[in-house]
Amino acid sequence: MVWQREDAIAAMYPRLGAGTASELAQRLRPGASPRGSYPLSSHPDVPTALIYTKYDEFFTPEWERFVAKEMLGVEPIELLSGHFPMVEAPDVLADVLDGLAAEAVACRFDEVAS
């Protein structure tokens, strides 16, 4: 799908400032389909987290919580942001990702030490 700039701003970036929204809309490119077998036959055995945003313009919190709990078996992490927390709340997102990375390293260290 190719987005018209104004449509992209209205749909994806309504919570952002006009300048930032316009710049991001200018960068949009059509997505590429995955190559090979997709979806995976099972979830990889890796540490998993689901971070969702309360004010997401595309996915409802109810759907995200369902996916986290029922499909991934994890407690979801909610951010008070729109679909693009990396733009809207980068410090908050970075703190959450840093905490998850530290947790994964600690778990891995515990597994190796056992």
Side-chain angles (χ1 to χ4, degrees), residues 101-112:
E103 235 177 75
V105 168
C107 286
R108 185 71 179 140
F109 179 77
D110 289 345
E111 288 175 10
V112 172

Side-chain angles (χ1 to χ4, degrees), residues 50 61-73 76:
L50 188 141
E62 295 79 19
W63 169 250
E64 295 291 352
R65 288 189 293 265
F66 169 80
V67 169
K69 292 177 181 178
E70 302 300 324
M71 299 176 84
L72 300 175

Side-chain angles (χ1 to χ4, degrees), residues 48-64:
T48 303
L50 188 141
I51 301 169
Y52 73 96
T53 59
K54 184 174 183 175
Y55 306 110
D56 196 302
E57 288 80 14
F58 296 98
F59 302 102
T60 66
E62 295 79 19
W63 169 250
E64 295 291 352

Side-chain angles (χ1 to χ4, degrees), residues 3-96:
W3 288 87
Q4 297 300 317
R5 193 174 72 75
E6 294 303 320
D7 293 339
I9 291 170
M12 292 191 273
Y13 312 119
R15 297 172 50 84
L16 302 177
T20 301
S22 181
E23 183 180 334
L24 291 172
Q26 302 250 147
R27 294 182 187 181
L28 286 174
R29 301 291 180 266
S33 297
R35 297 182 72 183
S37 180
Y38 188 83
L40 300 174
S41 59
S42 64
H43 190 5
D45 185 21
V46 296
T48 303
L50 188 141
I51 301 169
Y52 73 96
T53 59
K54 184 174 183 175
Y55 306 110
D56 196 302
E57 288 80 14
F58 296 98
F59 302 102
T60 66
E62 295 79 19
W63 169 250
E64 295 291 352
R65 288 189 293 265
F66 169 80
V67 169
K69 292 177 181 178
E70 302 300 324
M71 299 176 84
L72 300 175
V74 299
E75 279 300 314
I77 300 165
E78 180 182 88
L79 300 182
L80 299 178
S81 169
H83 189 74
F84 299 97
M86 65 291 279
V87 176
E88 194 174 326
D91 293 343
V92 173
L93 178 59
D95 287 346
V96 168

